[in-house]
Amino acid sequence: MIKNSWLVVCSVMTFLIWGQQAYGQDETRSVSIEHAQGKLSLSETPSRVVTFDLASLDTLDALNVNVLALPTKSVHDRLAKYSGKPYVNAGSLFEPDYETVAALEPDLVIVATRSSPSFKMLNSIAPTIDLSVWGEGFIEQFKDRSSTLAKIFARQSLYEKRLKGIEHKIAQVRSFSKDAGKALIILTNGGKISAYGPGSRFGWLHYELGFSSVLTSDDPEQASNIGTHGDPVSFEFIHEANPAWLFVVDRDAAVGSARGAARALLDNPIIKRTQAYQSGQIVYLNPMNWYVIAAGLNAVDESVTEVLEALQKSVSQK
Amino acid sequence: MIRATIGGGLVILALVFISLVVGNTEIDHNPLNWFGGVNDQGDQDLEILTLSRIPRTIALILAGISLSVAGLIMQMLVRNKFVEPATTGTVEWASLGLLLCLIFAPGLSVIIKMVVACLFALFGTGLFMLLLQRIDIRSDAIVPLVGLIYAAVIGAAIAFVADQAELMQSIWVWIQGDFSMVLQGRYELLWFAGCLGVVAYITADQFTLAGLGKNMSENLGLNYTLVFIWGILLVSVISGITVATVGVIPFLGLVVPNLVSLIVGDNLRYALPWVAVTGAALILLCDIVARLITFPYEIPIGTIMGVIGSLLFLYLLLRSEPHGQS
């Protein structure tokens, strides 16, 4: 009898403890997230992560989360440490190497924008999320995607701290930019120039950071027609638009070829006649952050900071 | 003939004038006000003209002349009317040379890049000629077909190199014909290509003879091999320079000589000036369209030339059936 009651007590205790653990596990580890192509619930914090999205890599890097594999050929500058061992090359930004991914047996795969068409195929290999950032509402989308990652990897407090810093800087930029005059964003590629409007991938410089655009006021219809890849323009176009601020994204530098090509391209008498040149307000943006990574935590922080510094420098000179 | 010359001259003058006044900055349409120094507006007009519009217009004329002349010489050398440097691998080889420069030595000066492009074009054209010698040419369609296949193979090589260097998106922007970045100081190498067009005119008779074929022309006392090599050299250098300075402009070298040959025949001494003028007129027209169609933005002239050129070419193919068999 005594033996029996001990058995009962023990089994009840075991059950209780086990139940408690299971319950506790549920509370801290089970995360369910919505992403661009569906929902995913994770019962554990992923430890074998493959990312095809450099923005997510950048955010994970900022949150001290390690990854297993990525497109190692496409990382430069700040992310250069990911270009070799121990990181595995998982393909290109656009084309996953499915066999490598399958062999790695990841518990989370991240795709976005450039790699989002591969979502279905990857999702059949391993749990996959699509963290694409498209069109307007860049900062909102950036917050959503990066907070998703912070949630998945339980790094909320670190994330909140970084986000607060960024929001503070954005507020500072806005306080300067509203009186800073009109701006134009151009991208240089292979010795040619495209203009980007508020509706484009760089448009958040206008609607989030508060610069008015030279393209909107005169001809709204034309401005809204500017696609995500910009429109080819001549030097005369820039001369005629005569922006107070000229923001330059050097695409060739972003993909790792010639540096300083944009500077040489813009060094001509037509550009020298613009207001932006004459008041020293041609800003060469970090092309890796703006063109390749875009919505990463460090990238957004640095992008906002470099615009803020350019504004502060210009104000202090006046 | 005199009437045609005057007419052609007027058309060119009109196109040059339109090319000078069309652009983002508004310019006084009365040329007399450009130089008077009447007011600030006049000074600004003059500056925009000398820095941007005149260089662009000259660059267009030089490219138009040299490319259409190169097309004509190419047609004489291979004795087929349906080829031009862009369909025989010459332009592709020049682009490949340029791409390799951009990948391995992006800091090279424009002149060195241009020389590399010319050498690649020369090698590629030579290879094409050797290829033709080994092929039994039974119909007029064979030469352009071989040329297109050959050009496509080199195009595939370009795509492979670009893919390896992660430059797939950039490469087509780099080599697509576009005059929007032409400014004073950035097109002058084209003068050299234009000069080659004039040199070609001086040696026009030799090319006419070479166009009769190796045996016939040697019987007439021509040093065929020398003329042949000289022709390849001209075509390659013109292609190299234009690709390196303004990119690939398709169809010009193909349609212009065919259009002219319909009217004045195949004697180069008569035909060349007309080829040059027509080439300049067509490229000016295409560039003006490229500037206006999405104003204030631009469309690369390569695209416009592709559309207009292919339409003209189809027209020529359909109407000149007997010519094709000649």
Side-chain angles (χ1 to χ4, degrees), chain B residues 142-216:
Chain B
I142 296 289
V143 175
L145 282 180
V146 170
L148 285 173
I149 295 167
Y150 178 67
V153 170
I154 310 307
I158 293 176
F160 177 75
V161 173
D163 185 55
Q164 291 300 304
E166 300 242 332
L167 292 172
M168 247 348 230
Q169 282 177 304
S170 309
I171 180 66
W172 307 119
V173 177
W174 279 343
I175 62 175
Q176 189 168 46
D178 186 2
F179 286 81
S180 64
M181 294 291 109
V182 170
L183 283 182
Q184 190 182 49
R186 300 209 173 155
Y187 75 100
E188 279 74 2
L189 288 170
L190 280 174
W191 279 107
F192 191 52
C195 289
L196 289 179
V198 176
V199 174
Y201 179 67
I202 298 168
T203 52
D205 290 340
Q206 269 81 1
F207 288 120
T208 310
L209 286 179
L212 297 171
K214 188 170 195 291
N215 294 337
M216 177 86 92

Coordinates of all heavy atoms in Angstrom, one line a residue, chain B residues 142-216:
Chain B
I142 N 23.1 32.4 -96.0 CA 24.0 31.7 -95.2 C 24.9 32.7 -94.4 O 25.1 32.6 -93.2 CB 24.9 30.8 -96.1 CG1 24.1 29.7 -96.7 CG2 26.1 30.2 -95.2 CD1 23.6 28.7 -95.7
V143 N 25.5 33.7 -95.1 CA 26.4 34.6 -94.4 C 25.8 35.3 -93.2 O 26.3 35.3 -92.1 CB 27.0 35.6 -95.4 CG1 27.9 36.6 -94.7 CG2 27.8 34.9 -96.5
P144 N 24.6 36.0 -93.4 CA 24.0 36.6 -92.2 C 23.7 35.6 -91.1 O 23.8 35.9 -89.9 CB 22.8 37.3 -92.8 CG 22.6 36.9 -94.1 CD 23.9 36.3 -94.6
L145 N 23.2 34.4 -91.5 CA 22.9 33.4 -90.5 C 24.1 33.0 -89.7 O 24.1 33.0 -88.5 CB 22.2 32.2 -91.1 CG 20.8 32.4 -91.5 CD1 20.2 31.1 -92.2 CD2 19.9 32.8 -90.3
V146 N 25.2 32.7 -90.4 CA 26.4 32.4 -89.7 C 26.8 33.5 -88.8 O 27.2 33.3 -87.7 CB 27.5 32.1 -90.7 CG1 28.9 31.9 -90.0 CG2 27.2 30.8 -91.5
G147 N 26.7 34.7 -89.3 CA 27.1 35.9 -88.5 C 26.3 36.0 -87.3 O 26.8 36.2 -86.2
L148 N 25.0 35.8 -87.4 CA 24.1 35.9 -86.2 C 24.4 34.8 -85.2 O 24.4 35.1 -84.0 CB 22.6 35.8 -86.7 CG 22.0 37.0 -87.4 CD1 20.6 36.7 -87.9 CD2 22.0 38.2 -86.4
I149 N 24.7 33.6 -85.7 CA 25.0 32.5 -84.8 C 26.3 32.9 -84.0 O 26.4 32.8 -82.8 CB 25.1 31.2 -85.5 CG1 23.7 30.8 -86.1 CG2 25.6 30.1 -84.6 CD1 23.8 29.7 -87.1
Y150 N 27.3 33.3 -84.8 CA 28.6 33.6 -84.3 C 28.4 34.7 -83.2 O 28.9 34.6 -82.1 CB 29.5 34.1 -85.4 CG 30.9 34.5 -85.1 CD1 31.8 33.7 -84.6 CD2 31.2 35.9 -85.3 CE1 33.1 34.1 -84.3 CE2 32.5 36.3 -85.0 CZ 33.4 35.4 -84.5 OH 34.7 35.8 -84.2
A151 N 27.7 35.8 -83.6 CA 27.5 36.9 -82.7 C 26.7 36.4 -81.4 O 27.1 36.9 -80.3 CB 26.6 38.0 -83.3
A152 N 25.8 35.5 -81.6 CA 25.1 35.0 -80.4 C 26.0 34.2 -79.5 O 25.8 34.3 -78.3 CB 23.9 34.1 -80.9
V153 N 26.9 33.5 -80.1 CA 27.9 32.7 -79.2 C 28.7 33.7 -78.4 O 28.9 33.5 -77.2 CB 28.8 31.8 -80.1 CG1 29.9 31.2 -79.3 CG2 28.0 30.7 -80.8
I154 N 29.2 34.7 -79.0 CA 30.0 35.7 -78.3 C 29.1 36.4 -77.2 O 29.5 36.7 -76.1 CB 30.6 36.8 -79.2 CG1 31.3 36.1 -80.3 CG2 31.6 37.6 -78.4 CD1 32.3 35.0 -79.9
G155 N 27.8 36.7 -77.6 CA 26.9 37.2 -76.7 C 26.7 36.4 -75.4 O 26.6 36.8 -74.3
A156 N 26.7 35.0 -75.7 CA 26.5 34.1 -74.6 C 27.8 34.1 -73.7 O 27.7 34.1 -72.5 CB 26.3 32.7 -75.1
A157 N 29.0 34.3 -74.3 CA 30.2 34.4 -73.5 C 30.1 35.7 -72.7 O 30.5 35.6 -71.5 CB 31.4 34.5 -74.5
I158 N 29.6 36.8 -73.2 CA 29.5 38.0 -72.5 C 28.6 37.8 -71.3 O 28.9 38.1 -70.1 CB 28.9 39.1 -73.3 CG1 29.9 39.5 -74.4 CG2 28.5 40.4 -72.5 CD1 29.4 40.6 -75.4
A159 N 27.4 37.1 -71.5 CA 26.5 36.8 -70.4 C 27.1 36.0 -69.4 O 26.9 36.2 -68.2 CB 25.2 36.2 -71.0
F160 N 27.9 35.0 -69.8 CA 28.6 34.1 -68.8 C 29.5 34.9 -67.9 O 29.5 34.8 -66.7 CB 29.3 33.0 -69.5 CG 30.0 32.1 -68.6 CD1 29.4 31.1 -67.8 CD2 31.4 32.2 -68.4 CE1 30.0 30.3 -66.9 CE2 32.1 31.3 -67.5 CZ 31.4 30.4 -66.8
V161 N 30.4 35.7 -68.6 CA 31.4 36.5 -67.8 C 30.6 37.4 -66.8 O 31.0 37.5 -65.7 CB 32.3 37.3 -68.7 CG1 33.2 38.2 -67.9 CG2 33.1 36.4 -69.6
A162 N 29.6 38.1 -67.4 CA 28.8 39.0 -66.5 C 28.2 38.3 -65.4 O 28.1 38.8 -64.2 CB 27.8 39.7 -67.4
D163 N 27.7 37.1 -65.6 CA 27.0 36.4 -64.5 C 28.0 36.0 -63.5 O 27.7 36.1 -62.3 CB 26.3 35.1 -65.1 CG 25.6 34.4 -64.1 OD1 24.7 35.0 -63.5 OD2 25.8 33.2 -63.8
Q164 N 29.2 35.5 -63.9 CA 30.2 35.2 -62.9 C 30.6 36.4 -62.0 O 30.9 36.2 -60.9 CB 31.4 34.6 -63.6 CG 31.2 33.3 -64.3 CD 30.8 32.2 -63.3 OE1 31.5 32.0 -62.3 NE2 29.6 31.6 -63.5
A165 N 30.6 37.6 -62.7 CA 31.0 38.8 -61.9 C 29.8 39.4 -61.3 O 29.9 40.5 -60.8 CB 31.7 39.7 -62.9
E166 N 28.6 38.8 -61.3 CA 27.4 39.4 -60.7 C 27.1 40.7 -61.4 O 26.7 41.7 -60.7 CB 27.5 39.5 -59.2 CG 27.8 38.2 -58.5 CD 26.6 37.8 -57.5 OE1 26.0 38.7 -57.0 OE2 26.4 36.6 -57.3
L167 N 27.3 40.8 -62.7 CA 27.1 42.1 -63.4 C 26.0 42.0 -64.4 O 25.9 42.8 -65.3 CB 28.3 42.6 -64.0 CG 29.5 43.0 -63.1 CD1 30.7 43.3 -63.9 CD2 29.1 44.2 -62.3
M168 N 25.2 40.9 -64.3 CA 24.1 40.7 -65.3 C 23.3 41.9 -65.6 O 22.9 42.2 -66.7 CB 23.2 39.5 -64.8 CG 23.3 38.2 -65.6 SD 24.1 38.2 -67.1 CE 22.9 37.4 -68.1
Q169 N 22.9 42.6 -64.5 CA 22.0 43.7 -64.7 C 22.7 44.9 -65.3 O 22.2 45.7 -66.0 CB 21.4 44.2 -63.4 CG 20.3 43.3 -62.9 CD 19.7 43.7 -61.6 OE1 20.5 43.8 -60.6 NE2 18.5 44.0 -61.5
S170 N 24.0 45.0 -64.9 CA 24.8 46.2 -65.4 C 25.2 46.1 -66.9 O 25.1 47.1 -67.6 CB 26.0 46.4 -64.6 OG 25.8 46.3 -63.3
I171 N 25.5 44.9 -67.3 CA 26.2 44.8 -68.6 C 25.3 45.4 -69.7 O 25.8 46.1 -70.6 CB 26.6 43.4 -68.9 CG1 27.3 43.2 -70.2 CG2 25.4 42.4 -68.8 CD1 28.6 43.9 -70.3
W172 N 24.0 45.1 -69.7 CA 23.2 45.6 -70.8 C 23.1 47.1 -70.8 O 23.0 47.8 -71.8 CB 21.8 44.9 -70.8 CG 22.0 43.4 -70.8 CD1 21.6 42.6 -69.8 CD2 22.7 42.6 -71.7 NE1 21.9 41.3 -70.1 CE2 22.7 41.3 -71.2 CE3 23.4 42.9 -72.9 CZ2 23.3 40.2 -71.9 CZ3 24.0 41.8 -73.6 CH2 23.9 40.5 -73.1
V173 N 23.1 47.7 -69.6 CA 23.1 49.2 -69.5 C 24.4 49.7 -70.0 O 24.4 50.7 -70.7 CB 22.9 49.6 -68.0 CG1 22.9 51.1 -67.9 CG2 21.6 49.1 -67.5
W174 N 25.5 49.0 -69.7 CA 26.8 49.5 -70.1 C 26.9 49.6 -71.6 O 27.4 50.5 -72.2 CB 27.9 48.6 -69.6 CG 28.2 48.9 -68.2 CD1 28.0 50.1 -67.5 CD2 29.0 48.1 -67.3 NE1 28.5 50.0 -66.2 CE2 29.1 48.8 -66.1 CE3 29.5 46.8 -67.4 CZ2 29.7 48.2 -65.0 CZ3 30.1 46.3 -66.3 CH2 30.2 47.0 -65.1
I175 N 26.4 48.5 -72.3 CA 26.7 48.5 -73.8 C 25.6 49.0 -74.6 O 25.7 49.1 -75.8 CB 27.1 47.0 -74.2 CG1 26.0 46.0 -74.0 CG2 28.4 46.6 -73.5 CD1 26.3 44.7 -74.5
Q176 N 24.4 49.3 -74.0 CA 23.3 49.8 -74.8 C 23.6 51.2 -75.3 O 24.0 52.1 -74.5 CB 22.1 49.8 -74.0 CG 20.8 50.1 -74.8 CD 19.6 49.8 -74.0 OE1 19.5 50.2 -72.9 NE2 18.6 49.1 -74.6
G177 N 23.4 51.4 -76.6 CA 23.7 52.7 -77.2 C 22.9 53.8 -76.5 O 21.7 53.7 -76.3
D178 N 23.6 54.9 -76.1 CA 22.9 56.0 -75.4 C 23.8 57.3 -75.5 O 25.0 57.2 -75.2 CB 22.7 55.6 -74.0 CG 21.9 56.6 -73.2 OD1 21.5 57.6 -73.8 OD2 21.8 56.4 -72.0
F179 N 23.2 58.4 -75.9 CA 23.9 59.6 -76.1 C 23.6 60.6 -74.9 O 24.0 61.8 -75.0 CB 23.7 60.3 -77.4 CG 24.3 59.6 -78.6 CD1 23.8 58.5 -79.1 CD2 25.5 60.1 -79.1 CE1 24.4 57.8 -80.2 CE2 26.1 59.4 -80.2 CZ 25.6 58.3 -80.7
S180 N 22.9 60.2 -73.9 CA 22.4 61.1 -72.9 C 23.5 61.7 -72.1 O 23.4 62.7 -71.5 CB 21.3 60.5 -72.1 OG 21.8 59.4 -71.3
M181 N 24.7 61.0 -72.0 CA 25.8 61.4 -71.2 C 26.8 62.1 -72.0 O 27.9 62.5 -71.4 CB 26.4 60.2 -70.4 CG 25.5 59.5 -69.5 SD 25.2 60.5 -68.0 CE 23.4 61.0 -68.3
V182 N 26.6 62.4 -73.2 CA 27.6 63.1 -74.1 C 27.7 64.5 -73.7 O 26.7 65.2 -73.6 CB 27.3 63.0 -75.6 CG1 28.2 63.9 -76.4 CG2 27.4 61.5 -76.0
L183 N 28.9 65.0 -73.3 CA 29.2 66.4 -73.0 C 30.5 66.8 -73.6 O 31.2 65.9 -74.1 CB 29.3 66.5 -71.5 CG 28.1 66.5 -70.5 CD1 28.6 66.7 -69.1 CD2 27.2 67.6 -70.9
Q184 N 30.7 68.0 -73.7 CA 32.0 68.5 -74.1 C 33.1 67.8 -73.3 O 33.0 67.7 -72.1 CB 32.1 70.0 -73.9 CG 33.3 70.6 -74.5 CD 33.3 72.1 -74.2 OE1 33.2 72.5 -73.0 NE2 33.5 73.0 -75.2
G185 N 34.1 67.2 -74.0 CA 35.2 66.5 -73.3 C 34.9 65.1 -73.1 O 35.8 64.3 -72.6
R186 N 33.7 64.6 -73.5 CA 33.5 63.2 -73.3 C 33.1 62.4 -74.6 O 32.5 61.3 -74.5 CB 32.3 63.0 -72.3 CG 32.7 63.7 -71.0 CD 32.0 63.0 -69.8 NE 32.5 63.6 -68.6 CZ 31.9 63.6 -67.5 NH1 30.7 63.1 -67.4 NH2 32.4 64.2 -66.4
Y187 N 33.3 63.0 -75.7 CA 32.9 62.2 -76.9 C 34.0 62.3 -78.0 O 33.9 61.8 -79.1 CB 31.6 62.8 -77.5 CG 31.9 64.2 -78.2 CD1 31.9 64.3 -79.6 CD2 32.1 65.3 -77.4 CE1 32.2 65.5 -80.2 CE2 32.3 66.5 -78.1 CZ 32.4 66.6 -79.4 OH 32.7 67.8 -80.0
E188 N 35.1 63.1 -77.7 CA 36.0 63.5 -78.8 C 36.6 62.4 -79.5 O 37.1 62.6 -80.7 CB 37.0 64.5 -78.2 CG 36.6 65.9 -78.0 CD 35.6 66.1 -76.9 OE1 35.3 65.2 -76.2 OE2 35.1 67.3 -76.7
L189 N 36.7 61.2 -78.9 CA 37.3 60.1 -79.6 C 36.5 59.7 -80.8 O 37.1 59.1 -81.7 CB 37.4 58.8 -78.6 CG 38.4 59.0 -77.5 CD1 38.2 57.9 -76.5 CD2 39.8 58.9 -78.1
L190 N 35.3 60.1 -80.8 CA 34.4 59.8 -82.0 C 34.9 60.5 -83.3 O 34.7 60.1 -84.4 CB 33.0 60.2 -81.8 CG 32.2 59.2 -81.0 CD1 30.8 59.8 -80.7 CD2 32.0 57.9 -81.7
W191 N 35.7 61.6 -83.1 CA 36.2 62.3 -84.2 C 37.1 61.4 -85.0 O 37.2 61.4 -86.2 CB 37.1 63.5 -83.8 CG 36.2 64.7 -83.5 CD1 35.9 65.2 -82.3 CD2 35.6 65.6 -84.5 NE1 35.1 66.3 -82.4 CE2 34.9 66.6 -83.8 CE3 35.5 65.5 -85.9 CZ2 34.1 67.5 -84.4 CZ3 34.7 66.5 -86.5 CH2 34.0 67.5 -85.7
F192 N 37.9 60.5 -84.3 CA 38.7 59.5 -84.9 C 37.9 58.6 -85.8 O 38.3 58.3 -87.0 CB 39.5 58.8 -83.8 CG 40.7 58.0 -84.4 CD1 41.6 58.6 -85.2 CD2 40.8 56.6 -84.1 CE1 42.7 57.8 -85.7 CE2 41.8 55.9 -84.6 CZ 42.7 56.5 -85.4
A193 N 36.8 58.1 -85.3 CA 35.9 57.2 -86.1 C 35.4 57.9 -87.3 O 35.4 57.4 -88.4 CB 34.8 56.7 -85.2
G194 N 35.0 59.2 -87.1 CA 34.6 60.0 -88.2 C 35.6 60.2 -89.3 O 35.4 60.0 -90.5
C195 N 36.9 60.4 -88.9 CA 38.0 60.5 -89.8 C 38.2 59.2 -90.6 O 38.5 59.3 -91.8 CB 39.3 60.8 -89.1 SG 39.3 62.5 -88.4
L196 N 38.0 58.1 -89.9 CA 38.2 56.8 -90.6 C 37.1 56.7 -91.7 O 37.4 56.1 -92.8 CB 38.0 55.7 -89.6 CG 39.2 55.5 -88.7 CD1 39.0 54.3 -87.7 CD2 40.5 55.2 -89.5
G197 N 35.9 57.3 -91.4 CA 34.9 57.3 -92.5 C 35.4 58.0 -93.7 O 35.2 57.6 -94.8
V198 N 36.1 59.2 -93.5 CA 36.6 60.0 -94.6 C 37.7 59.2 -95.3 O 37.8 59.1 -96.6 CB 37.1 61.3 -94.1 CG1 37.8 62.1 -95.2 CG2 36.0 62.1 -93.5
V199 N 38.6 58.5 -94.5 CA 39.7 57.7 -95.1 C 39.1 56.6 -96.0 O 39.6 56.3 -97.1 CB 40.5 57.1 -94.0 CG1 41.6 56.2 -94.6 CG2 41.3 58.2 -93.3
A200 N 38.0 56.0 -95.5 CA 37.3 55.0 -96.3 C 36.9 55.5 -97.6 O 37.0 54.8 -98.6 CB 36.1 54.5 -95.5
Y201 N 36.4 56.8 -97.7 CA 36.0 57.4 -98.9 C 37.1 57.5 -99.9 O 37.0 57.2 -101.1 CB 35.4 58.8 -98.6 CG 34.9 59.5 -99.8 CD1 33.8 59.0 -100.6 CD2 35.6 60.7 -100.3 CE1 33.4 59.7 -101.7 CE2 35.2 61.3 -101.4 CZ 34.1 60.8 -102.1 OH 33.7 61.4 -103.3
I202 N 38.3 57.9 -99.4 CA 39.5 58.0 -100.2 C 39.8 56.7 -100.9 O 40.3 56.6 -102.0 CB 40.7 58.6 -99.4 CG1 40.4 60.0 -98.9 CG2 42.0 58.6 -100.3 CD1 41.3 60.5 -97.9
T203 N 39.7 55.6 -100.1 CA 40.0 54.3 -100.7 C 38.8 53.5 -101.2 O 38.8 52.3 -101.4 CB 40.7 53.4 -99.6 OG1 39.9 53.4 -98.4 CG2 42.1 53.9 -99.2
A204 N 37.8 54.3 -101.5 CA 36.5 53.7 -101.9 C 36.6 52.8 -103.1 O 36.0 51.7 -103.2 CB 35.4 54.8 -102.1
D205 N 37.4 53.2 -104.1 CA 37.5 52.4 -105.4 C 38.0 51.0 -105.1 O 37.5 50.1 -105.7 CB 38.4 53.2 -106.4 CG 37.7 54.4 -106.9 OD1 36.5 54.5 -106.8 OD2 38.4 55.3 -107.4
Q206 N 38.9 50.9 -104.3 CA 39.5 49.6 -103.9 C 38.4 48.7 -103.4 O 38.4 47.5 -103.7 CB 40.6 49.7 -102.9 CG 42.0 49.9 -103.5 CD 42.3 51.4 -103.9 OE1 41.4 52.2 -103.7 NE2 43.4 51.6 -104.5
F207 N 37.6 49.2 -102.5 CA 36.5 48.4 -101.9 C 35.5 48.0 -103.0 O 35.0 46.9 -103.0 CB 35.8 49.1 -100.8 CG 36.7 49.2 -99.6 CD1 37.0 50.5 -99.0 CD2 37.2 48.1 -98.9 CE1 37.8 50.6 -97.9 CE2 38.0 48.2 -97.8 CZ 38.3 49.4 -97.3
T208 N 35.2 48.9 -103.9 CA 34.3 48.5 -105.0 C 34.8 47.3 -105.8 O 34.1 46.4 -106.1 CB 34.1 49.7 -105.9 OG1 33.8 50.9 -105.2 CG2 33.0 49.5 -106.9
L209 N 36.1 47.4 -106.1 CA 36.7 46.3 -106.8 C 36.7 45.0 -106.0 O 36.4 43.9 -106.4 CB 38.2 46.6 -107.2 CG 38.4 47.6 -108.3 CD1 39.8 47.9 -108.5 CD2 37.7 47.1 -109.6
A210 N 37.1 45.1 -104.7 CA 37.1 44.0 -103.8 C 35.7 43.3 -103.7 O 35.6 42.1 -103.6 CB 37.6 44.4 -102.4
G211 N 34.7 44.2 -103.9 CA 33.4 43.7 -103.8 C 33.0 42.7 -105.0 O 32.0 42.0 -104.9
L212 N 33.9 42.7 -106.0 CA 33.6 41.9 -107.1 C 34.1 40.4 -106.8 O 33.9 39.5 -107.6 CB 34.4 42.4 -108.4 CG 33.9 43.7 -108.9 CD1 34.9 44.2 -109.9 CD2 32.5 43.6 -109.4
G213 N 34.9 40.3 -105.7 CA 35.4 39.0 -105.4 C 36.9 38.9 -105.6 O 37.5 39.7 -106.3
K214 N 37.5 37.9 -105.0 CA 38.9 37.8 -105.0 C 39.5 37.6 -106.4 O 40.4 38.4 -106.8 CB 39.4 36.6 -104.1 CG 40.8 36.5 -103.9 CD 41.1 35.4 -102.8 CE 42.5 35.5 -102.2 NZ 43.6 35.2 -103.1
N215 N 39.0 36.6 -107.2 CA 39.6 36.3 -108.5 C 39.4 37.5 -109.4 O 40.4 38.0 -110.0 CB 38.9 35.1 -109.1 CG 39.3 33.9 -108.2 OD1 40.3 33.9 -107.5 ND2 38.4 32.9 -108.3
M216 N 38.2 38.0 -109.5 CA 37.9 39.1 -110.4 C 38.8 40.3 -110.1 O 39.4 40.9 -111.0 CB 36.5 39.4 -110.3 CG 36.0 40.6 -111.2 SD 35.6 40.1 -112.8 CE 33.9 39.8 -112.7

